[in-house]
């Protein structure tokens, strides 16, 4: 028998998906894609210390050296090349200050797609109903008036940021035992949920280590996983002609 409780559970599992676009090159993922006429796709965002964010971007259709040059032109961005492809690479952007995707997450949404293509930026984010999607969207657009809301739709459920299926056995085998244990514990404690259920310090306490040591292990594990994922996934992406 259907009940009010069942209906509430269905509602709790529902999300509103919003799609936002922007063409302001002040944002590196937009500016780099415009300068190089390429595709810049966000793989993950990881908060760092002192209001910094590590943003892992897969870039297709541009020589890595030129991507580095354009990214380094932003005073608030520090760029590292993690893996090089025939016509692109996996990059880590250490961003200080403003980050629209991370701000969306702070407001209660889950950014699913963040990409720049030929100078046009696009963010698709899921907002659980409990966070009041209209209020979240309105607040974001007030803070980022250069973005435009182009679509919104209701979906039945949301997808977590990281699931076990995204971590394949070959890359797990490449991690040290310590990295695997810390990564698994962080996952189980909710470190990769959004919003997070725990902090890095909480996970560090489980192992009796400092937060700095936790960061060292988790950053190394994340880089190995992302490098593995995009070294393999890029083979299925056709490179873009210039």
């Amino acid at each position: 028998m259907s009940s009010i409780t069942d209906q509430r559970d269905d509602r709790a599992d529902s999300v509103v998906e919003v799609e936002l676009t922007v063409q302001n090159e002040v944002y590196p993922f937009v500016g780099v894609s415009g300068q190089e006429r390429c595709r810049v796709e966000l793989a993950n965002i990881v908060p760092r210390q002192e209001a910094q964010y590590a943003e892992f971007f897969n870039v297709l259709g541009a020589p890595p050296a030129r991507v580095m040059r354009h990214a380094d032109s932003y005073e608030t961005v520090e760029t590292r090349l993690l893996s090089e492809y025939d016509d692109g690479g996996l990059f880590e952007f250490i961003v200080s200050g403003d980050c629209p995707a991370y701000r969306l997450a702070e407001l209660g949404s889950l950014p699913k797609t963040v990409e720049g293509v030929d100078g046009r930026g696009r963010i698709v984010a899921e907002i659980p109903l409990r966070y009041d999607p209209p209020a979240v969207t309105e607040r974001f657009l007030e803070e980022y008036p250069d973005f435009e809301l182009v679509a919104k739709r209701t979906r039945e459920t949301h997808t977590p940021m990281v699931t076990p299926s995204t971590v394949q056995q070959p890359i797990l085998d490449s991690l040290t035992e310590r990295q695997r244990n810390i990564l698994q514990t962080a996952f189980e404690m909710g470190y990769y949920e959004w919003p997070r259920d725990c902090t890095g310090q909480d996970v560090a306490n489980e192992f009796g280590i400092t937060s700095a040591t936790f960061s060292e292990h988790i950053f190394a594990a994340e880089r190995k996983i992302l490098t593995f994922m995009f070294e393999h996934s890029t083979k299925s992406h056709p490179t873009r002609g210039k």
Side-chain angles (χ1 to χ4, degrees):
M1 179 177 68
S2 177
S3 66
I4 294 177
T5 301
D6 293 334
Q7 294 173 5
R8 286 175 180 170
D9 289 344
D10 290 342
R11 179 180 174 83
D13 289 338
S14 297
V15 298
V16 171
E17 182 181 85
V18 297
E19 182 174 348
L20 303 138
T21 61
V22 65
Q23 292 182 272
N24 191 339
E25 293 195 353
V26 69
Y27 306 108
F29 74 100
V30 179
V32 171
S33 76
Q35 291 290 331
E36 285 299 316
R37 313 306 295 176
C38 66
R39 177 182 294 274
V40 180
E41 303 170 336
L42 181 68
N44 201 1
I45 305 176
V46 180
R48 297 295 192 235
Q49 297 178 351
E50 299 178 357
Q52 290 186 329
Y53 315 97
E55 301 182 348
F56 296 89
F57 279 98
N58 190 40
V59 180
L60 297 172
R66 287 167 55 171
V67 172
M68 292 280 290
R69 184 172 70 249
H70 289 307
D72 286 342
S73 69
Y74 290 87
E75 294 182 358
T76 59
V77 177
E78 177 185 344
T79 311
R80 298 189 184 99
L81 176 62
L82 303 182
S83 182
E84 185 170 350
Y85 312 145
D86 290 339
D87 195 16
L90 175 65
F91 296 83
E92 180 184 29
F93 292 177
I94 303 297
V95 180
S96 302
D98 203 15
C99 173
Y102 192 76
R103 180 57 180 147
L104 274 169
E106 288 181 320
L107 292 171
S109 70
L110 176 63
K112 300 299 297 179
T113 300
V114 180
E115 64 180 8
V117 181
D118 297 341
R120 184 177 180 85
R122 175 173 170 266
I123 296 179
V124 178
E126 294 178 349
I127 311 172
L129 294 186
R130 65 181 180 276
Y131 288 111
D132 190 355
V136 169
T137 305
E138 181 179 358
R139 176 74 178 274
F140 177 80
L141 292 174
E142 286 177 353
E143 297 181 15
Y144 294 87
D146 46 357
F147 275 79
E148 178 184 359
L149 176 66
V150 296
K152 62 179 179 180
R153 42 199 169 259
T154 300
R155 298 170 59 89
E156 290 303 315
T157 188
H158 73 279
T159 306
M161 287 188 68
V162 175
T163 64
S165 63
T166 64
V167 184
Q168 302 180 40
Q169 192 60 43
I171 187 58
L172 289 178
D173 291 341
S174 76
L175 302 178
T176 67
E177 182 178 358
R178 189 66 158 171
Q179 289 170 350
R180 285 197 303 271
N181 290 339
I182 290 176
L183 188 67
Q184 181 174 354
T185 300
F187 181 84
E188 292 174 349
M189 290 179 63
Y191 182 77
Y192 288 103
E193 293 298 323
W194 209 278
R196 281 179 170 166
D197 293 335
C198 70
T199 65
Q201 184 63 64
D202 294 331
V203 183
N205 291 342
E206 290 291 311
F207 290 90
I209 59 178
T210 66
S211 60
T213 301
F214 163 78
S215 296
E216 178 183 347
H217 287 298
I218 206 76
F219 296 172
E222 289 167 352
R223 283 183 176 144
K224 287 181 180 180
I225 291 171
L226 288 165
T227 300
F228 175 87
M229 288 172 60
F230 285 99
E231 279 182 338
H232 287 72
S233 68
T234 191
K235 294 176 181 178
S236 63
H237 280 72
T239 54
R240 296 161 47 86
K242 302 301 285 182

